[in-house]
């Protein structure tokens, strides 16, 4: 399948089906134009499958945290996840002979790691304390915060479409939480 094809090639890197060569997209292999994927290229169907599998694993993780939360503290659950992730990524990096990032990127990597730690800690705590649906819908609002913070932090433009999507996602989260609490009150 596409994972085998992606693993066989070391370059060019593939991100969501696009071949990236020095920051320029290769138009001949653009999946939006319907061309057949070549070696190392993951088709949009394959990418969609990977996203579905990732969502399945995330759901299983949330369910596992909900069950484990009855027996373990949130910090213990987080440490077990991070130690497993550290071991698996270390083995993967060693197998692919991938080095550490350049010092110029290390600051961003540390910042991303710390924000991910805080985000996942909040998610795991929410999963333990709230109904699973509420916790997951709260956690999936992070793109809203990303879209709203991107103009200030990254200098990106907040387009009306992105603003409308942020409002829609926020309203959906409120409706999910409000619906669950209204049913409890009856």
């Amino acid at each position: 399948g596409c994972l085998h094809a992606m693993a066989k090639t070391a370059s060019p890197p593939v991100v969501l089906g696009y071949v990236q060569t020095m920051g320029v997209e290769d138009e001949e292999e653009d999946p939006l134009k319907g061309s057949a994927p070549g070696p190392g290229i993951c088709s949009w169907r394959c990418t969609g499958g990977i996203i579905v599998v990732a969502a399945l694993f995330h759901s299983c993780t949330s369910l596992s945290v909900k069950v484990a939360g009855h027996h373990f503290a949130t910090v213990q659950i987080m440490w077990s996840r991070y130690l497993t992730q550290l071991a698996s990524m270390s083995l993967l990096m060693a197998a692919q002979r991938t080095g550490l990032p350049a010092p110029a990127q290390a600051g961003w990597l540390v910042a991303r790691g710390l924000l991910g730690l805080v985000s996942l800690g909040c998610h795991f705590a929410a999963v333990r304390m709230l109904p699973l649906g509420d916790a997951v819908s709260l956690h999936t609002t992070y793109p809203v915060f990303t879209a709203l913070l991107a103009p200030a932090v990254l200098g990106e433009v907040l387009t009306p479409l992105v603003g409308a999507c942020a409002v829609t996602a926020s309203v959906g989260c409120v409706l999910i939480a409000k619906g669950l609490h209204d049913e409890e009150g009856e």
Side-chain angles (χ1 to χ4, degrees):
C2 68
L3 292 177
H4 179 68
M6 286 172 35
K8 285 174 36 179
T9 181
S11 71
V14 177
V15 178
L16 289 180
Y18 284 97
V19 177
Q20 293 192 342
T21 312
M22 302 298 285
V24 178
E25 296 173 2
D26 185 353
E27 292 182 21
E28 292 178 15
E29 299 295 340
D30 186 351
L32 293 177
K33 293 184 179 178
S35 62
I41 308 301
C42 186
S43 68
W44 282 102
R45 187 177 335 159
C46 173
T47 304
I50 291 170
I51 291 171
V52 168
V53 170
L56 176 67
F57 280 125
H58 181 71
S59 298
C60 291
T61 299
S62 295
L63 181 60
S64 299
V65 169
K66 188 71 169 176
V67 171
H70 296 295
H71 307 287
F72 300 102
T74 303
V75 174
Q76 289 175 307
I77 298 169
M78 287 176 57
W79 273 108
S80 66
R81 181 209 189 260
Y82 282 120
L83 290 176
T84 302
Q85 184 177 354
L86 176 65
S88 62
M89 289 308 299
S90 296
L91 290 173
L92 184 63
M93 288 175 69
Q96 293 187 350
R97 295 188 174 99
T98 303
L100 294 174
Q105 297 173 340
W108 284 111
L109 184 62
V110 169
R112 192 319 187 184
L114 290 175
L115 287 173
L117 174 77
V118 171
S119 171
L120 199 63
C122 291
H123 175 61
F124 283 3
V127 165
R128 286 187 67 221
M129 292 185 239
L130 298 172
L132 194 54
D134 281 358
V136 171
S137 83
L138 282 173
H139 180 69
T140 56
T141 59
Y142 72 88
V144 172
F145 296 104
T146 302
L148 297 177
L149 290 173
V153 176
L154 301 173
E156 293 182 1
V157 178
L158 181 63
T159 64
L161 178 62
V162 171
C165 290
V167 169
T168 302
S170 300
V171 169
C173 186
V174 169
L175 290 175
I176 289 171
K178 184 174 174 22
L180 289 174
H181 295 297
D182 283 346
E183 289 175 9
E184 290 173 3
E186 293 180 359

